[in-house]
């Protein structure tokens, strides 16, 4: 069956797509079912002539959004970035270290290395005892739920930076739908909060002329089937529906990309520029 975009033409080259957002980009024990993976599979079918290179970077808290954007733009150099500004950041305190906020991939790599080291050590050795206290080396702190005005300020600063410093095309995505099962997990969980964050994202899209994926209203219209039973986590159907909405917008962004000549391509035009990005 042909998708909505299969008759479209696109640059016969490659495109780099980055997803930046919370942990709903991953589905534990079900590889290939999270919405970024489903979206990319569909895009590869829609644009078979394109080599689609993609990745996903986790955003731990909006306070780390600007440094995460700076790092992601410099390291991955996406042509298109999907930024998911979720409501969870405004609903629950989050405990993490500053490294986890700014560069979670670095922390994950370090943890994996330390686990390998620990496996080779005698448990009573001095070095093993030191490793067990590594939380003192990278202390954690609790970040309270971000107020909406502060959330908007942080997102605005990050979007202004991206617009000024990169040719990357942005896509904004608001929170998913709301159901009652999150009340036990989130102290400030409410339908009004989720809707308020969605309105904030929509307003930012209009202000910066950035397309917005309104996953909130879409999921609200589908009811309980988009969630796992007795959970506020998205079901496979929920991920597929969100992927369809994201793919529709991203396909349009692919078609809007300039031709891949040397004057445009980020790999040729922007590498030196990223070196001068203000810290």
């Amino acid at each position: 069956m042909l998708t909505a975009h299969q008759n479209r033409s696109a640059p016969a080259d490659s495109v780099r797509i980055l997803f930046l957002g919370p942990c709903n980009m991953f589905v534990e024990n079900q590889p290939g079912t999270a919405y970024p993976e489903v979206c990319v599979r569909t895009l590869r079918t829609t644009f078979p002539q394109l080599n689609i290179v993609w990745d996903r970077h986790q955003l731990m808290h909006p306070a780390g959004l600007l440094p995460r954007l700076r790092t992601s733009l410099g390291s991955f150099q996406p042509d298109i970035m999907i930024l998911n500004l979720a409501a969870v950041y405004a609903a629950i305190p989050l405990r993490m270290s500053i490294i986890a906020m700014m560069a979670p991939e670095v922390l994950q790599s370090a943890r994996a290395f330390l686990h390998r080291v620990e496996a080779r050590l005698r448990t009573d050795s001095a070095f093993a005892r030191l490793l067990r206290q590594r939380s003192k080396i990278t202390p954690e702190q609790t970040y309270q739920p971000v107020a909406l005005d502060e959330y908007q300020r942080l997102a605005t600063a990050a979007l202004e930076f991206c617009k000024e410093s990169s040719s990357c095309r942005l896509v904004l995505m608001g929170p998913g739908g709301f159901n009652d099962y999150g009340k036990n997990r989130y102290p400030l969980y409410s339908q009004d909060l989720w809707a308020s964050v969605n309105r904030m994202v929509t307003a930012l899209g209009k202000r910066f002329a950035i397309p917005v994926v309104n996953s909130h209203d879409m999921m609200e219209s589908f009811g309980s089937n988009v969630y796992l039973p007795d959970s506020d986590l998205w079901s496979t159907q929920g991920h597929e529906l969100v992927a369809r909405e994201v793919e529709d917008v991203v396909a349009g962004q692919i078609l809007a990309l300039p031709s891949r000549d040397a004057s445009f391509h980020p790999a040729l035009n922007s590498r030196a520029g990223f070196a001068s990005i203000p810290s």
Side-chain angles (χ1 to χ4, degrees):
M1 180 178 178
L2 294 176
T3 70
H5 306 291
Q6 270 187 308
N7 61 342
R8 298 179 179 180
S9 60
D13 196 348
S14 65
V15 62
R16 300 177 68 82
I17 300 174
L18 181 66
F19 296 82
L20 178 61
C23 60
N24 62 2
M25 298 186 299
F26 306 88
V27 177
E28 190 175 359
N29 300 323
Q30 294 185 38
T33 61
Y35 79 87
E37 297 164 287
V38 178
C39 175
V40 170
R41 280 201 304 272
T42 306
L43 287 169
R44 284 172 172 162
T45 302
T46 302
F47 300 114
Q49 72 273 41
L50 275 180
N51 173 33
I52 297 178
V53 181
W54 75 283
D55 202 355
R56 49 192 162 187
H57 293 176
Q58 188 168 355
L59 176 64
M60 304 296 289
H61 192 277
L65 177 55
L66 181 54
R68 290 295 285 144
L69 264 179
R70 183 183 292 116
T71 300
S72 296
L73 289 171
S75 61
F76 187 74
Q77 296 193 353
D79 297 308
I80 299 169
M81 179 187 295
I82 300 91
L83 174 58
N84 181 196
L85 298 175
V88 63
Y89 305 122
I92 186 174
L94 296 169
R95 187 168 179 80
M96 69 194 77
S97 69
I98 191 69
I99 297 176
M101 180 193 291
M102 303 296 185
E105 292 85 5
V106 172
L107 193 62
Q108 290 165 6
S109 298
R111 283 174 176 165
F113 172 74
L114 289 175
H115 287 322
R116 291 196 297 271
V117 171
E118 287 176 320
R120 295 174 177 269
L121 290 173
R122 300 194 323 271
T123 57
D124 61 343
S125 71
F127 192 35
R129 290 195 296 272
L130 176 63
L131 287 179
R132 286 195 291 271
Q133 300 181 50
R134 60 182 175 269
S135 60
K136 297 179 181 178
I137 302 172
T138 56
E140 295 183 342
Q141 67 181 84
T142 299
Y143 294 84
Q144 295 302 319
V146 63
L148 283 179
D149 57 348
E150 176 66 2
Y151 200 167
Q152 181 169 331
R153 184 190 71 80
L154 292 167
T156 298
L159 294 176
E160 287 175 344
F161 168 82
C162 192
K163 286 283 190 177
E164 294 170 359
S165 306
S166 171
S167 60
C168 172
R169 302 186 72 88
L170 289 169
V171 174
L172 290 178
M173 177 175 159
F178 174 92
N179 72 359
D180 289 333
Y181 290 105
K183 290 180 178 178
N184 295 328
R185 296 179 60 195
Y186 307 129
L188 301 180
Y189 194 75
S190 74
Q191 191 164 6
D192 287 343
L193 177 60
W194 256 239
S196 295
V197 174
N198 192 58
R199 287 193 294 270
M200 178 196 77
V201 174
T202 302
L204 287 170
K206 290 180 179 178
R207 175 179 173 181
F208 288 95
I210 298 171
V212 176
V213 177
N214 192 342
S215 54
H216 175 271
D217 290 355
M218 182 274 294
M219 295 188 80
E220 290 279 280
S221 68
F222 277 89
S224 61
N225 289 336
V226 296
Y227 304 99
L228 296 173
D230 300 326
S231 173
D232 64 324
L233 299 177
W234 298 354
S235 65
T236 299
Q237 181 182 359
H239 279 277
E240 289 174 349
L241 289 170
V242 171
R244 186 185 307 165
E245 296 293 311
V246 174
E247 186 272 339
D248 188 66
V249 176
V250 172
Q253 295 301 295
I254 290 174
L255 293 169
L257 288 171
S259 61
R260 293 297 206 266
D261 57 25
S263 64
F264 160 74
H265 202 292
L268 301 175
N269 194 38
S270 302
R271 289 189 191 276
F274 281 115
S276 62
I277 288 175
S279 59

